[in-house]
Amino acid sequence: RVGTPVCAPPRAPHLVPASLVSGNAMADNRHTIVLLQTTKNKTSRTFLDYEKTSLAVEGIVSLFEKRLKEMYPNTRRLDYDVSDLYNYIDALSDLSALVYDPAINAYAPQNKEWVKQKCLAHLKKQAGGR
């Protein structure tokens, strides 16, 4: 047919080991999916979808801060250090992130240690920006 464009459907993203992902995959502007399980109960599994890695990290820190507010509802100002955040992350039954890399059209899985590193960098950036 004349005038009918023929387009192949886009390839579906797939998972690849982080070791195979290019260095640019960890750039801030990468779509990031956080996979979270707060307790050993499988019904606590959920995911959080973010357009950027930095927003995903902010989301994780916000979850921690929300938990602190639940634990200390009468405290106006909550102070914590990075070890408190790390303990929260470690106490989660599962936490990982899938970071999209358009160069290979795939999501690279990242573990709790990666999340901790990103959270630390985020907190340092916040502290330096004050």
Side-chain angles (χ1 to χ4, degrees):
R1 295 179 198 160
V2 176
T4 304
V6 178
C7 299
R11 293 183 304 150
H14 58 281
L15 297 176
V16 296
S19 60
L20 298 178
V21 178
S22 67
N24 290 336
M26 301 312 141
D28 177 50
N29 63 349
R30 305 296 183 187
H31 182 254
T32 303
I33 301 168
V34 175
L35 304 174
L36 177 68
Q37 184 174 336
T38 56
T39 68
K40 294 196 182 293
N41 187 337
K42 290 184 180 183
T43 62
S44 72
R45 287 180 180 169
T46 191
F47 72 94
L48 306 165
D49 187 34
Y50 297 95
E51 290 300 314
K52 298 168 69 172
T53 301
S54 62
L55 295 176
V57 172
E58 285 177 22
I60 292 166
V61 172
S62 292
L63 288 172
F64 169 63
E65 291 173 347
K66 180 181 175 185
R67 180 68 181 125
L68 285 177
K69 289 175 186 174
E70 290 169 357
M71 293 170 59
Y72 306 101
N74 297 324
T75 304
R76 285 188 154 182
R77 181 177 173 194
L78 295 170
D79 292 321
Y80 63 87
D81 63 33
V82 73
S83 66
D84 298 319
L85 176 59
Y86 285 1
N87 289 336
Y88 169 77
I89 290 171
D90 288 335
L92 295 170
S93 287
D94 192 19
L95 176 65
S96 57
L98 300 173
V99 182
Y100 184 68
D101 182 356
I104 59 173
N105 196 37
Y107 283 88
Q110 304 297 334
N111 62 19
K112 284 183 179 182
E113 293 306 313
W114 180 89
V115 171
K116 288 179 188 179
Q117 290 173 3
K118 292 295 182 182
C119 286
L120 177 60
H122 171 75
L123 293 175
K124 283 183 176 180
K125 185 176 177 182
Q126 272 190 333
R130 288 184 184 165

